[in-house]
Amino acid sequence: MVQATSLPRNEAGIEAAIETLKQRFGSQLQTGQAICEQHGHTTTWIVNQAPDAVVFPTSTEEVSEIVAVCAEYGVPVIPFGTGTSLEGHVNAPAGGICIDMMRMDRIIAVHAEDLDVVVQPGVTREQLNTYLRDQGLFFPIDPGANASLGGMAATRASGTNAVRYGTMKDNVLSLEAVMADGGVIRTAQRAKKSSAGYDLTRLLVGSEGTLGLITELTLKLQGIPEAIRSARCSFRTVDEACRAVMMTIQYGIPVARIELLDALSVRAANAYSGLDLPETPLLLLEFHGSDAGVVEQTDMFASIAEEFGGFDIAATSTPEERNKLWQARHDMYWASLQLRPGAKGISTDVCVPISRLAECVGAARDKAEGMGLMAPIVGHVGDGNFHALLLIDMDSEIERRKADEFVGWLNDLAISMEGTCTGEHGIGQGKRPYLQKELGPATRYMAAVKAALDPDNIMNPGKILEM
Amino acid sequence: MVQATSLPRNEAGIEAAIETLKQRFGSQLQTGQAICEQHGHTTTWIVNQAPDAVVFPTSTEEVSEIVAVCAEYGVPVIPFGTGTSLEGHVNAPAGGICIDMMRMDRIIAVHAEDLDVVVQPGVTREQLNTYLRDQGLFFPIDPGANASLGGMAATRASGTNAVRYGTMKDNVLSLEAVMADGGVIRTAQRAKKSSAGYDLTRLLVGSEGTLGLITELTLKLQGIPEAIRSARCSFRTVDEACRAVMMTIQYGIPVARIELLDALSVRAANAYSGLDLPETPLLLLEFHGSDAGVVEQTDMFASIAEEFGGFDIAATSTPEERNKLWQARHDMYWASLQLRPGAKGISTDVCVPISRLAECVGAARDKAEGMGLMAPIVGHVGDGNFHALLLIDMDSEIERRKADEFVGWLNDLAISMEGTCTGEHGIGQGKRPYLQKELGPATRYMAAVKAALDPDNIMNPGKILEM
């Protein structure tokens, strides 16, 4: 495991805050070891740093009360949704109080005429989409996991649909948040656009709980398209697949999804999901539009793909076939683990300008092979974003070191290509050194904003910035 | 004229800063009264508050030097582009140094494969689009005026295309900025998306020069669509027109533009632009897509419009006819002034959830009529955003007072409808009280961010916040 730095603990403050909160919240506050460890970091390889207590508020007022108590005693506050973040976002390196938002799971209002919805932060994206389906609406952001919408906003999540619908930054209209002093704010009204003051909405989106705790979200919705069509296409090389992607985007084809699986990933998917795809790089696509529109888009893509040597092109509008393909895509994590039973999967994430994508993916594959690492690559390639899933024997120090070296190398490479060390996973604990490398001087002003809004550094300390 | 509050002047500091800058910049620094007044506020009705000097830098390094000098002497710095902002953004209520960015007008790099461009802040949107045309690319944000791109980012501008392409917040990938201490930062890399740290890009977009000075922008581009089709449709009432808009958006028709002109505006356009449109509320639309796609979109819109009593529907794909209609739309300001020769036009801007648009526009028209004010209304109604242009005899104190009352009433109304006091003009000096009404508690945290990034309040003081 990778050990994240511990921060000094305010023992007296933590004890006093727990005592005060216990009196106020009774059994809504839990201090058992098991529950605390469940609320520390549980994904990938950063070591678990459990909070000292977990509290389960049911309203904004309760969150505000909890933060006010923690502010009084100078005790860290760590927000928790589904715990599916990947860079140690929910660890408690200085201990403190975890606020589990999952009892705040109400869908407060659907404004179908305005194509927006107001939800509490513990609503998950699947819960929301199930609720909306009868009204012909959906929320497009899909990071794979059935994450909470509060967590998705806090980490600026995106996923397969981002190429068409944007990321959380583009789909949050307004937030309600509890700030470090317990104050409750609304960052914007419900209008579709505004030039009214600093964009606190976007400042909080992606701030990983370090500036404020999201207690309500107003999200943009989309109408379920009249027609949805899926396509797949195999390529001889990753390079050709990436060039086809670049051309598809340049032509302005409004793909809703365009996903790359490298040959190793296709092998894993065939075995795990009972598919029979050529074991070469694959693009999976989805098109949204009118009946005629999706066929037109598919045909345009197919002729581009053929130019770049694409073969075995198949398209379908029937839900069963579509779902089979996309289920296989969503199961890639589990499928990949089966490539090496017993191994731990460590997912790392970079994003580069699309003109550099072929080069970056190719280099990553060569580097992993050269190091003897098994690392299937999948990507939301329409945005230039991809993930390598390192399959590591955690008992082998050599492998752990190699994985660490690979992650560092890949982040440096992406940054050198004018890309970012994280397209969608966030900084958390794991990527703090790379944020420094990527944005250097800007991080000093980020730290100034953090110090202004959270002078005692109680909001999810030890994340994003080295403080 | 409306008098904006003056702020205390640091006479000694201003004198010393000008002396230092004069030695360094020679004739790049100007102190003549005429040039200073040209760089104070010149649009609508807020009184001109001229800076003490205007300096014309040609590089980021020079901007940084200027800010460092001003920081040393505690002297205000006011950025200036084309001076087309509408709420007193470029006034100098405490005096100081205006930084005119218009000599920083280089297009630094077009990355056609990545659909982005790197520009200096003094490049105007028309300059950029002329430059890009041969490459089949365009930058979609169109606020009407041929504004500078730096100014458009600073005020979070949008305009007619925002319903399809978003606002400046959605189309800036990255900024280079000079901060209050003279430090130069880059807010993001050139990747299409990122979760790396606080979103300083979006914090600076819309900050109106109060947090940092934009010295370079990386902007998203679009491919020029294969086909463009325009349509117009008349309605008996504003209410029916707005309902047709709402349904068009709900159906997910990807309109590129959907503009409302009320009956008074149509009368003005007929007279000024030699048109012969029915003098009732009008929608002007534009569709972008494939040849088949734009016809399909137009037909879908037409059947919706007919449901709501739309009549005299006409559509065209020929550039001449399209341009004639859109030129008339862009000339609305001048056309409206001709409704009352000699009057001053005062444009005010609100944005509401689209479900409240019909009610808000109707109430605004009734209120203006009831007050005896001539106020044609035009709007980017796909976003719920509209402007009333008050035609005022500035020599009449009664009219000025009425206009002031109307603006206040309309802003309050929009806020009461969960809308915003400004969809795209920004806060500047003029809308500060309404920002307080709109976002109340949040403005305290905006002030904390401002104080952290600009502790001596030298960056465009007296704008956005009451400080």
Side-chain angles (χ1 to χ4, degrees):
Chain A
M1 306 296 271
V2 170
Q3 183 69 52
T5 323
S6 287
L7 298 173
R9 287 173 56 86
N10 166 11
E11 293 297 352
I14 290 170
E15 202 177 307
I18 290 177
E19 199 46 50
T20 306
L21 290 170
K22 211 180 255 168
Q23 282 176 24
R24 165 64 182 80
F25 288 98
S27 65
Q28 274 176 270
L29 183 105
Q30 298 284 325
T31 53
Q33 192 186 338
I35 209 163
C36 287
E37 281 178 4
Q38 280 162 23
H39 285 78
H41 184 74
T42 55
T43 54
T44 75
W45 65 353
I46 298 169
V47 80
N48 191 301
Q49 295 172 314
D52 296 283
V54 184
V55 60
F56 297 85
T58 59
S59 70
T60 300
E61 293 67 34
E62 289 187 356
V63 175
S64 171
E65 276 186 71
I66 295 162
V67 173
V69 169
C70 289
E72 188 185 337
Y73 295 107
V75 168
V77 174
I78 304 104
F80 189 95
T82 57
T84 45
S85 60
L86 293 165
E87 293 290 350
H89 297 78
V90 295
N91 261 344
I97 310 297
C98 171
I99 304 188
D100 184 315
M101 296 289 189
M102 297 310 285
R103 291 190 195 167
M104 291 179 65
D105 62 352
R106 280 193 308 122
I107 296 168
I108 294 167
V110 178
H111 303 109
E113 291 184 331
D114 296 315
L115 295 174
D116 71 51
V117 63
V118 183
V119 300
Q120 289 189 313
V123 173
T124 68
R125 63 174 189 85
E126 288 181 7
Q127 178 192 347
L128 178 61
N129 280 328
T130 302
Y131 185 90
L132 292 172
R133 198 170 297 144
D134 289 348
Q135 301 184 58
L137 298 170
F138 78 112
F139 180 70
I141 311 302
D142 169 12
N146 183 25
S148 69
L149 292 159
M152 285 168 62
T155 54
R156 206 182 296 133
S158 49
T160 60
N161 279 316
V163 62
R164 168 74 172 261
Y165 298 103
T167 75
M168 285 304 281
K169 112 179 133 48
D170 307 298
N171 287 280
V172 176
L173 274 180
S174 170
L175 294 170
E176 180 193 76
V178 173
M179 306 303 280
D181 57 1
V184 178
I185 65 167
R186 180 164 297 281
T187 59
Q189 297 273 78
R190 208 160 56 74
K192 272 286 176 297
K193 67 181 196 186
S194 174
S195 288
Y198 302 151
D199 192 347
L200 296 184
T201 311
R202 250 53 59 182
L203 184 61
L204 287 173
V205 169
S207 67
E208 304 183 3
T210 65
L211 301 179
L213 303 185
I214 296 167
T215 49
E216 193 180 288
L217 306 90
T218 304
L219 301 169
K220 285 192 207 174
L221 298 177
Q222 302 286 332
I224 294 176
E226 180 187 328
I228 301 177
R229 195 165 170 83
S230 284
R232 64 175 169 82
C233 178
S234 296
F235 291 84
R236 284 164 308 199
T237 65
V238 160
D239 188 68
E240 289 172 343
C242 288
R243 286 177 196 286
V245 171
M246 194 164 74
M247 195 55 71
T248 303
I249 300 298
Q250 261 187 278
Y251 263 62
I253 303 176
V255 284
R257 290 169 157 164
I258 185 162
E259 297 284 306
L260 171 74
L261 280 65
D262 73 353
L264 191 53
S265 297
V266 175
R267 172 145 70 89
N270 277 346
Y272 187 85
S273 303
L275 302 174
D276 191 26
L277 300 165
E279 292 187 355
T280 66
L282 177 80
L283 291 181
L284 284 183
L285 297 97
E286 193 167 272
F287 304 100
H288 293 177
S290 66
D291 285 319
V294 296
V295 170
E296 189 183 31
Q297 290 178 48
T298 313
D299 291 348
M300 285 172 75
F301 166 74
S303 53
I304 290 170
E306 277 166 7
E307 256 182 69
F308 291 93
F311 62 96
D312 209 17
I313 302 177
T316 177
S317 295
T318 58
E320 297 72 29
E321 289 178 54
R322 276 202 287 115
N323 289 344
K324 194 173 173 191
L325 268 186
W326 287 108
Q327 192 60 48
R329 167 65 187 89
H330 275 116
D331 289 341
M332 274 313 306
Y333 175 75
W334 306 108
S336 298
L337 289 184
Q338 292 303 312
L339 288 171
R340 192 179 179 198
K344 177 107 185 156
I346 294 154
S347 180
T348 193
D349 148 59
V350 295
C351 186
V352 294
I354 201 166
S355 62
R356 309 300 296 273
L357 180 66
E359 189 186 350
C360 195
V361 173
R365 195 205 40 212
D366 293 348
K367 178 79 174 178
E369 279 174 13
M371 293 178 76
L373 288 170
M374 191 175 256
I377 289 174
V378 295
H380 315 311
V381 282
D383 296 313
N385 181 206
F386 70 92
H387 309 306
L389 186 72
L390 300 164
L391 300 172
I392 299 299
D393 172 2
M394 292 301 282
D395 293 333
S396 157
E397 203 196 313
I398 293 177
E399 286 200 27
R400 294 200 313 268
R401 257 200 243 142
K402 277 188 185 175
D404 198 38
E405 184 191 328
F406 178 86
V407 168
W409 171 87
L410 182 59
N411 280 289
D412 287 346
L413 179 69
I415 293 168
S416 77
M417 290 177 166
E418 299 184 77
T420 174
C421 66
T422 174
E424 56 181 24
H425 290 179
I427 299 297
Q429 295 178 312
K431 294 225 164 172
R432 288 179 299 166
Y434 307 111
L435 177 64
Q436 289 296 329
K437 287 185 184 183
E438 182 173 326
L439 296 178
T443 58
R444 190 155 61 85
Y445 300 92
M446 291 185 195
V449 170
K450 165 74 172 172
L453 296 182
D454 179 22
D456 298 324
N457 194 23
I458 64 166
M459 305 299 270
N460 208 7
K463 316 301 160 61
I464 299 185
L465 298 164
E466 309 271 3
M467 59 198 285
Chain B
M1 304 297 271
V2 170
Q3 184 68 52
T5 322
S6 287
L7 298 174
R9 285 174 57 85
N10 167 10
E11 292 296 353
I14 290 170
E15 203 176 306
I18 290 177
E19 199 46 49
T20 306
L21 290 169
K22 211 180 256 169
Q23 282 176 25
R24 165 66 182 80
F25 288 98
S27 65
Q28 275 177 269
L29 182 104
Q30 298 285 324
T31 53
Q33 192 186 339
I35 210 162
C36 287
E37 280 179 4
Q38 280 162 23
H39 285 78
H41 184 74
T42 55
T43 54
T44 74
W45 65 352
I46 297 169
V47 80
N48 190 301
Q49 295 172 314
D52 296 283
V54 183
V55 59
F56 297 85
T58 59
S59 69
T60 300
E61 294 66 34
E62 289 187 356
V63 175
S64 171
E65 277 186 72
I66 296 162
V67 174
V69 168
C70 289
E72 188 186 337
Y73 294 107
V75 168
V77 174
I78 304 104
F80 189 96
T82 58
T84 45
S85 60
L86 292 165
E87 294 290 350
H89 298 77
V90 295
N91 261 344
I97 310 296
C98 171
I99 304 188
D100 184 314
M101 297 289 191
M102 297 310 285
R103 291 191 196 167
M104 291 178 66
D105 63 352
R106 280 193 309 122
I107 296 169
I108 294 168
V110 178
H111 303 109
E113 290 184 333
D114 296 316
L115 295 174
D116 71 51
V117 64
V118 183
V119 300
Q120 289 190 312
V123 173
T124 68
R125 62 175 190 85
E126 288 181 6
Q127 179 192 347
L128 178 61
N129 279 328
T130 302
Y131 185 89
L132 292 172
R133 198 169 297 143
D134 289 347
Q135 301 183 59
L137 299 169
F138 78 112
F139 180 70
I141 311 302
D142 168 12
N146 184 23
S148 69
L149 291 159
M152 285 168 62
T155 54
R156 205 182 297 132
S158 48
T160 59
N161 278 315
V163 62
R164 169 75 172 261
Y165 298 102
T167 75
M168 287 302 282
K169 112 179 134 48
D170 306 299
N171 288 281
V172 176
L173 273 180
S174 169
L175 294 171
E176 180 192 76
V178 173
M179 305 303 280
D181 56 1
V184 178
I185 65 168
R186 180 164 298 281
T187 59
Q189 296 274 79
R190 209 161 55 74
K192 271 286 176 297
K193 67 181 195 186
S194 173
S195 287
Y198 302 152
D199 192 346
L200 296 184
T201 311
R202 251 53 60 181
L203 185 61
L204 287 174
V205 170
S207 67
E208 303 183 3
T210 64
L211 301 179
L213 303 186
I214 296 167
T215 49
E216 193 180 288
L217 306 90
T218 305
L219 302 169
K220 286 193 206 173
L221 298 177
Q222 302 287 331
I224 293 176
E226 179 188 328
I228 300 177
R229 195 166 169 83
S230 284
R232 64 174 169 83
C233 178
S234 297
F235 291 84
R236 284 165 308 200
T237 65
V238 159
D239 188 68
E240 288 173 342
C242 288
R243 286 178 195 284
V245 171
M246 193 162 74
M247 193 57 71
T248 303
I249 300 298
Q250 261 187 277
Y251 263 62
I253 303 174
V255 283
R257 290 169 157 166
I258 185 163
E259 296 285 305
L260 172 73
L261 280 65
D262 72 353
L264 191 54
S265 297
V266 175
R267 171 145 70 89
N270 277 345
Y272 187 85
S273 303
L275 301 175
D276 191 26
L277 300 164
E279 293 188 354
T280 65
L282 178 80
L283 292 181
L284 284 183
L285 297 96
E286 193 166 272
F287 304 100
H288 293 177
S290 65
D291 285 319
V294 295
V295 171
E296 189 184 31
Q297 290 179 47
T298 313
D299 291 347
M300 284 172 75
F301 166 74
S303 53
I304 289 170
E306 277 166 8
E307 256 183 68
F308 292 93
F311 62 97
D312 209 17
I313 302 177
T316 177
S317 295
T318 58
E320 297 71 28
E321 287 179 56
R322 276 202 286 115
N323 290 343
K324 193 173 175 193
L325 268 186
W326 288 108
Q327 193 58 49
R329 167 63 187 90
H330 275 117
D331 289 341
M332 273 314 306
Y333 174 76
W334 305 107
S336 297
L337 288 184
Q338 292 304 312
L339 287 171
R340 193 180 179 198
K344 178 107 184 156
I346 294 155
S347 181
T348 193
D349 149 60
V350 295
C351 186
V352 294
I354 201 167
S355 62
R356 309 300 297 274
L357 179 66
E359 188 185 351
C360 195
V361 173
R365 195 205 39 213
D366 293 349
K367 177 78 175 180
E369 280 175 12
M371 293 178 76
L373 288 170
M374 191 174 256
I377 289 173
V378 296
H380 315 311
V381 283
D383 296 313
N385 182 206
F386 70 93
H387 310 304
L389 187 72
L390 299 163
L391 300 172
I392 299 299
D393 172 4
M394 291 301 282
D395 293 334
S396 158
E397 202 197 315
I398 293 177
E399 286 200 28
R400 295 200 313 267
R401 257 199 246 143
K402 276 188 186 176
D404 197 39
E405 185 191 328
F406 178 86
V407 169
W409 171 86
L410 182 58
N411 281 290
D412 287 347
L413 179 69
I415 294 168
S416 77
M417 290 177 165
E418 299 184 77
T420 174
C421 66
T422 173
E424 56 182 23
H425 289 180
I427 299 296
Q429 296 178 312
K431 294 226 164 172
R432 289 179 300 167
Y434 307 111
L435 177 63
Q436 288 296 329
K437 287 184 185 184
E438 183 174 326
L439 296 178
T443 58
R444 190 155 61 85
Y445 300 92
M446 291 184 196
V449 170
K450 165 73 172 172
L453 296 182
D454 179 22
D456 298 323
N457 194 22
I458 65 166
M459 306 299 269
N460 208 6
K463 317 300 159 62
I464 299 186
L465 298 164
E466 308 271 5
M467 60 198 286

